[in-house]
Amino acid sequence: MESNRQLLSTDLQLIGMSCVNCAAKIEKALNGVPEVKASVNFATEKAHVEFDPQSVSPEALIKTIQNLGYQAFEVNSEFDAQKVKEIAAAEYQHDFRHFVISAILTAPFLLEMVLMFTQGHQEFIPRWVQFALATPVQFWIGWRFYVGSYHALKARSANMDVLVALGTTMAYLLSVVVIVMKWHHQHVYFEASTAVITLILLGKLMESRAKGKTSEAVEGLIRLQPKMAWIERDGNWIETAIDDVKLGDKVLVKNGEAIPVDGMVVEGHSSVDESMLTGESMPVEKNPDNHVYAATLNQDGVLKIKATSVGAKTQLAQIIKIVTTAQGSKAPIQRLADRISSVFVPVVVLISIVTFFLTWFFLSDLQAAFVASVSVLVIACPCALGLATPTAVVVGIGKAARMGILFKDAKALELGEKVNLVVLDKTGTITEGKPVVTEVHGVSVTSELEILSLAASLEHGSSHPLAHAITSGASAKGASLKPVQNFKVISGHGVEGLIDGVQYQLGRPDWVAGGGFLQNELITRLESQGQTVMVLGSHDRILGYVAVADRIRESSKKAIADLHALGVQVMMLTGDNEGTAKEIAKQAGIRDYKSGVRPSDKAGIIVTMKRQKKFVAMVGDGINDAPALAMADVSFSMSSGTDIAIETADITLMNNDLESVVHAIHLSKATLKKIRQNLFFAFFYNVLGIPLAAFGMLNPVIAGAAMAMSSVSVVSNSLLLKRSKTGS
């Protein structure tokens, strides 16, 4: 595929798949179209397709799917998602009606089977009645299996429909031959064909309900999106549909209402519950110039906001898109199941044929040979194998989203459990990334409040991050600002200006000291604690000291301790000096750190660690972290970071909390554990079931029930992830 072409992507909802082989067939056909890369997920019944719009259109892709005997349509909006839900509900009701009719027609056969077990082999229902009951089940209720088989064989492949149609048809036709030929000594197997079809329909209904629960996380996010908004038009507030809100509109959000758009507060004060985005239960104070996000809940007060993102551009919409795409992606561990499923059905048909002839040859019993052959066909459906991985991935990624952890794809979810080294950027990752005033010391009679007033007045005209820390600290203490004349920024040193006719300087200790090196115990202590010290002076006379530091996040120390408890090594990279790096590392509980690291060096350190057989996760938030994030085996980005860092990272942490890295690794381990359990049970089921059926130890009815329940058990096991205590 040409790299200079702009690829588009779309999601297609698929209708009519009966097993994982159907998904594999659709995926193969789509990938056979030039300039197309597709991934089909049987569990979610969706295809994620990347394509070159100059070469192919979504309509052409849908046509390719239709030619295989399936239906498809694009799903790229909330309207489409609702349409999918309505179609799924209609299909479920249709299947439920068919199941009820099939169950009613099959019930007499089950009664006869019970009577046969208790009173011998006498037939209690006349054979012509059995024929009348079984025929509509076989050719009306079971018609779907014939249609599916036709399309599968037409495409030179085989799926579950082929197995079911072949097995039940053999049972039905043999029974018809017995009636027509009047072989009174020969048993009829109408109960086998009808019971198998009924049980498979029941299994599909249970599977559909269980699979529907796996996508509840995304549906929950979609339901959070407000449908209406109050906007200002010509000086009046009117309520309008959310689709009519435009960028720059002023939006009114009342107490208790959900915020309809992403925006900036222009008026009002309130607390906002952002737990649906970040997973954090504590409300966030919002004041003018603060950002707010769609679907978060305004708890008290009234806010007027200016819309900065609407519709599909809001953070919630982007999260829904990320989660949906990730749930539809394939984990590398699924490749084994895909390879086995691709050849599974033909092999089973061959085993069934061999079983028939060998049983007939050794036992000289046509009836036993037939029963064993049909049982092999019925029990061998590979649905459980196909559902093993994607259902766990869908549940795991959905659970992560509710915790404020966004996995870019299933590969990132799988790789998370392998991490044995976490490399952390310091600023904005371990620390809050916002320097604050930590200590103020006056010399002689100069008070703390006066020092803050003079320092903040000087820094009011500066854009330096430390200047913002000082002005904010002064404001918090109630220090007033004074007018400054002849303000100057002395690059690399500090600032100076006239206040009330007196010349003041604020900056590096050696500069304020008149070019001499200023050293005392206070400065030594503060700098050894990782704080930056600025000195306030006038005419080479020292008036006071202001210490500023970037505080460690409250959760960082616990998160790092939890990583160590998991056996994960932690390393900190920072461009700060050795003293600051050492103190931050000490406070955070990090034993391994590197100071004075330039942005260009971070990626090189990651490569070195990987050469030492470390599986490296990098956590960062800035543009300078992007190369290191790209080089890591797994990369995490804080959502407060730059768009470049978030786009580069495999996993985005919405709550900007290192504890989320621990939760992500825990969740990855839990999900992979479920996948391995599912694969084991799916393989074990077929490895055990096929030989039992081949040796005549399972009749077709029991085989059909076991096949149906295997898929349900795999999905149910995946759903247990929802109850895991991961991240709690």
Side-chain angles (χ1 to χ4, degrees):
M1 202 174 288
E2 295 180 28
S3 59
N4 61 335
R5 290 191 177 183
Q6 182 66 41
L7 297 181
L8 298 182
S9 65
T10 188
D11 291 308
L12 303 178
Q13 181 68 35
L14 305 173
I15 301 172
M17 293 194 298
S18 62
C19 72
V20 66
N21 283 9
C22 299
K25 181 171 63 175
I26 295 172
E27 184 173 285
K28 182 178 180 181
L30 290 174
N31 284 320
V33 178
E35 311 296 340
V36 170
K37 182 180 179 182
S39 176
V40 176
N41 190 315
F42 175 59
T44 59
E45 298 181 326
K46 286 186 175 65
H48 181 71
V49 188
E50 295 180 359
F51 62 97
D52 181 357
Q54 298 180 14
S55 303
V56 66
S57 66
E59 291 74 20
L61 297 173
I62 291 173
K63 184 67 175 176
T64 298
I65 295 171
Q66 291 174 338
N67 290 338
L68 297 175
Y70 306 95
Q71 298 301 312
F73 60 88
E74 280 194 276
V75 186
N76 287 317
S77 69
E78 182 182 348
F79 170 79
D80 293 330
Q82 183 61 32
K83 182 180 176 183
V84 171
K85 203 170 181 181
E86 291 172 358
I87 290 174
E91 277 194 339
Y92 183 86
Q93 290 301 320
H94 176 269
D95 290 348
F96 182 76
R97 287 194 297 270
H98 273 211
F99 165 71
V100 171
I101 295 170
S102 186
I104 291 172
L105 295 174
T106 303
F109 292 107
L110 299 179
L111 176 63
E112 170 147 319
M113 290 171 64
V114 172
L115 294 174
M116 284 174 60
F117 279 119
T118 58
Q119 302 182 32
H121 293 283
Q122 181 180 354
E123 292 181 359
F124 296 92
I125 301 177
R127 291 186 170 183
W128 66 269
V129 175
Q130 293 188 44
F131 170 78
L133 291 171
T135 300
V137 175
Q138 184 69 42
F139 297 108
W140 175 40
I141 304 298
W143 183 247
R144 66 181 67 195
F145 302 116
Y146 292 105
V147 173
S149 299
Y150 166 76
H151 288 296
L153 296 173
K154 182 182 176 183
R156 298 181 180 180
S157 67
N159 60 6
M160 184 202 77
D161 293 329
V162 173
L163 295 179
V164 175
L166 188 57
T168 58
T169 302
M170 286 175 62
Y172 177 86
L173 290 180
L174 178 60
S175 302
V176 171
V177 170
V178 168
I179 293 175
V180 172
M181 301 301 294
K182 298 182 179 180
W183 293 345
H184 299 294
H185 64 285
Q186 182 71 44
H187 183 65
V188 292
Y189 291 95
F190 288 123
E191 81 279 358
S193 63
T194 56
V196 165
I197 289 174
T198 302
L199 286 169
I200 289 174
L201 288 180
L202 175 60
K204 282 295 178 185
L205 287 172
M206 295 173 68
E207 181 184 304
S208 295
R209 285 182 66 88
K211 283 164 64 177
K213 292 180 180 178
T214 64
S215 60
E216 285 179 350
V218 172
E219 291 179 4
L221 290 174
I222 292 173
R223 286 195 296 270
L224 288 172
Q225 294 178 305
K227 303 294 187 293
M228 305 294 290
W230 288 93
I231 62 173
E232 188 178 34
R233 287 284 188 269
D234 300 324
N236 298 314
W237 293 101
I238 62 170
E239 190 175 24
T240 185
I242 191 67
D243 293 337
D244 294 331
V245 181
K246 297 179 175 58
L247 291 179
D249 278 348
K250 277 191 178 180
V251 180
L252 180 71
V253 187
K254 301 176 183 178
N255 178 19
E257 291 184 343
I259 296 171
V261 295
D262 288 2
M264 182 84 72
V265 177
V266 294
E267 186 178 331
H269 306 272
S270 184
S271 296
V272 175
D273 179 0
E274 296 184 343
S275 59
M276 47 72 57
L277 282 180
T278 66
E280 287 292 323
S281 58
M282 289 297 292
V284 181
E285 292 294 324
K286 297 295 181 180
N287 297 299
D289 296 331
N290 289 158
H291 288 282
V292 291
Y293 303 97
T296 56
L297 185 64
N298 180 25
Q299 293 189 326
D300 53 68
V302 176
L303 294 176
K304 292 181 182 178
I305 63 175
K306 179 181 179 182
T308 56
S309 295
V310 297
K313 299 296 184 181
T314 65
Q315 191 167 98
L316 177 64
Q318 294 301 311
I319 289 173
I320 292 172
K321 183 177 180 180
I322 290 170
V323 174
T324 303
T325 301
Q327 288 183 332
S329 63
K330 283 189 178 183
I333 198 173
Q334 191 175 337
R335 293 171 187 162
L336 175 62
D338 287 348
R339 286 197 297 268
I340 293 175
S341 298
S342 66
V343 298
F344 192 79
V345 174
V347 170
V348 168
V349 172
L350 180 61
I351 292 174
S352 176
I353 294 171
V354 171
T355 297
F356 176 82
F357 285 107
L358 288 180
T359 305
W360 190 12
F361 176 77
F362 285 107
L363 299 182
S364 300
D365 187 336
L366 182 63
Q367 179 175 324
F370 170 76
V371 170
S373 179
V374 172
S375 297
V376 169
L377 290 173
V378 172
I379 202 169
C381 173
C383 286
L385 197 60
L387 290 168
T389 299
T391 51
V393 167
V394 168
V395 175
I397 287 176
K399 181 178 176 65
R402 290 195 299 272
M403 295 163 58
I405 303 169
L406 302 183
F407 286 90
K408 183 178 287 186
D409 52 33
K411 181 180 178 182
L413 180 66
E414 179 177 334
L415 295 179
E417 73 151 5
K418 299 180 181 180
V419 171
N420 55 27
L421 171 62
V422 173
V423 177
L424 305 174
D425 172 55
K426 179 184 76 70
T427 305
T429 303
I430 298 175
T431 66
E432 296 176 350
K434 297 177 181 178
V436 294
V437 173
T438 53
E439 294 186 38
V440 178
H441 297 275
V443 174
S444 187
V445 295
T446 311
S447 69
E448 175 183 332
L449 196 63
E450 186 177 356
I451 290 172
L452 277 175
S453 176
L454 292 169
S457 299
L458 288 169
E459 292 285 20
H460 187 63
S462 173
S463 59
H464 194 279
L466 296 183
H468 180 72
I470 291 174
T471 54
S472 297
S475 176
K477 292 287 187 179
S480 59
L481 297 182
K482 301 179 179 181
V484 179
Q485 296 175 320
N486 300 332
F487 172 78
K488 292 182 182 179
V489 176
I490 312 300
S491 180
H493 297 289
V495 295
E496 64 180 13
L498 282 172
I499 300 177
D500 295 332
V502 179
Q503 181 75 12
Y504 291 97
Q505 295 174 312
L506 178 70
R508 292 167 56 99
D510 55 351
W511 175 63
V512 176
F517 183 70
L518 179 62
Q519 183 67 31
N520 61 34
E521 292 182 2
L522 177 63
I523 294 176
T524 302
R525 176 179 68 80
L526 294 173
E527 289 186 341
S528 69
Q529 294 174 352
Q531 302 185 63
T532 299
V533 181
M534 288 183 285
V535 176
L536 177 68
S538 175
H539 301 293
D540 297 333
R541 184 169 63 92
I542 305 302
L543 301 177
Y545 306 87
V546 180
V548 177
D550 186 3
R551 288 178 175 171
I552 291 181
R553 295 179 188 271
E554 291 184 7
S555 59
S556 292
K557 188 172 182 178
K558 182 180 184 303
I560 290 164
D562 288 344
L563 287 170
H564 286 150
L566 282 172
V568 177
Q569 180 185 347
V570 180
M571 173 188 288
M572 181 183 76
L573 302 182
T574 177
D576 281 340
N577 59 61
E578 172 66 18
T580 300
K582 183 177 181 180
E583 181 60 25
I584 293 293
K586 179 182 177 182
Q587 292 179 29
I590 297 174
R591 295 183 289 270
D592 190 5
Y593 66 90
K594 295 184 183 297
S595 61
V597 179
R598 293 175 298 177
S600 58
D601 295 334
K602 290 183 178 180
I605 293 172
I606 298 291
V607 172
T608 300
M609 293 297 104
K610 290 171 68 174
R611 287 174 181 166
Q612 295 176 11
K613 307 301 181 184
K614 297 289 186 181
F615 200 89
V616 183
M618 172 69 189
V619 187
D621 74 330
I623 293 176
N624 60 339
D625 296 324
L629 291 170
M631 291 305 303
D633 295 301
V634 182
S635 51
F636 294 80
S637 173
M638 303 290 189
S639 68
S640 61
T642 63
D643 291 340
I644 294 176
I646 293 173
E647 189 171 325
T648 304
D650 299 310
I651 305 164
T652 300
L653 309 178
M654 298 303 298
N655 55 13
N656 302 309
D657 188 339
L658 275 184
E659 194 69 19
S660 291
V661 176
V662 182
H663 298 337
I665 293 175
H666 269 301
L667 189 57
S668 175
K669 290 179 182 291
T671 304
L672 267 292
K673 182 179 180 181
K674 286 297 179 189
I675 289 174
R676 293 188 183 102
Q677 289 174 352
N678 289 345
L679 289 174
F680 171 78
F681 288 126
F683 280 122
F684 179 78
Y685 160 80
N686 282 307
V687 168
L688 179 64
I690 292 176
L692 288 176
F695 285 104
M697 299 173 70
L698 290 176
N699 69 45
V701 176
I702 295 176
M707 185 273 285
M709 292 310 299
S710 66
S711 296
V712 176
S713 64
V714 163
V715 178
S716 299
N717 188 46
S718 296
L719 287 171
L720 291 177
L721 268 174
K722 289 185 175 183
R723 299 183 181 179
S724 80
K725 299 299 182 182
T726 304
S728 61

